[in-house]
Amino acid sequence: MTPLRAWFAGRSLRERRLILVMLALAAVTVLWGLVVRPVRDGLADARERHAGAVERLGSTRAAVATLRDIQQRRTPPLAGSLADTVRARADAAGFTLASLDQDAPDRVRVTIQSARPAALSGWLAQLERGGILIDSAAIKDNGDRTVGVSLTLKARAA
């Protein structure tokens, strides 16, 4: 360290001031490059991750709320047997069932000889809202603005 002091002392006053200014600027540059910039970049990354996390949290909360709404709107189980329920709902809608065969406790086959297409589609939508699903449907045109339909219906699992 003594040779460095001797070298520094051998410089003129102006050179010593310039060397001190240079060392101060070098210290500021090193401090900025090794401390300030990495901290600033880290904070920016943290802000971006936080914003992404907030967006994901919001979308997750919205999805959970949607699922809760769906669960609360879940249709109650059928009061009686599936065949009795389908027969009662068909009678209420004004359809005459040509046949109603029960394949299993939760599955029936229904045949309607003549029905208006608009009324039939409304009735089928009402059945689905009530917890009775359409497993298969075969619809044929009768040629007189009515259709004949063969349906396989099943009860929605609870």
Side-chain angles (χ1 to χ4, degrees):
M1 185 87 170
T2 331
L4 189 58
R5 267 188 201 192
W7 174 82
F8 186 72
R11 303 284 143 214
S12 69
L13 178 62
R14 182 174 179 211
E15 287 177 342
R16 283 185 281 187
R17 286 182 182 164
L18 286 174
I19 290 172
L20 288 175
V21 168
M22 179 192 68
L23 290 175
L25 288 175
V28 167
T29 303
V30 168
L31 180 68
W32 178 80
L34 295 178
V35 176
V36 174
R37 190 165 180 200
V39 168
R40 187 182 61 198
D41 290 346
L43 288 174
D45 289 344
R47 285 187 190 107
E48 288 177 16
R49 286 192 317 270
H50 179 262
V54 168
E55 289 176 14
R56 286 190 308 274
L57 176 65
S59 64
T60 302
R61 284 184 177 168
V64 167
T66 302
L67 289 175
R68 283 189 182 141
D69 289 344
I70 289 170
Q71 287 176 340
Q72 289 174 354
R73 286 185 277 148
R74 183 175 283 172
T75 57
L78 300 176
S81 71
L82 179 61
D84 293 339
T85 304
V86 170
R87 185 177 289 113
R89 290 188 183 180
D91 289 342
F95 294 113
T96 304
L97 299 179
S99 67
L100 176 70
D101 302 318
Q102 189 159 354
D103 290 344
D106 64 343
R107 185 178 301 266
V108 294
R109 281 184 287 129
V110 177
T111 305
I112 300 174
Q113 295 293 331
S114 178
R116 297 266 180 196
L120 179 67
S121 64
W123 180 64
L124 295 175
Q126 182 184 29
L127 286 178
E128 286 204 344
R129 282 192 303 271
I132 300 172
L133 303 177
I134 302 166
D135 195 33
S136 67
I139 301 173
K140 64 177 175 116
D141 184 15
N142 290 337
D144 60 352
R145 293 187 172 182
T146 63
V147 293
V149 64
S150 296
L151 300 168
T152 302
L153 305 172
K154 66 180 182 177
R156 179 177 289 156

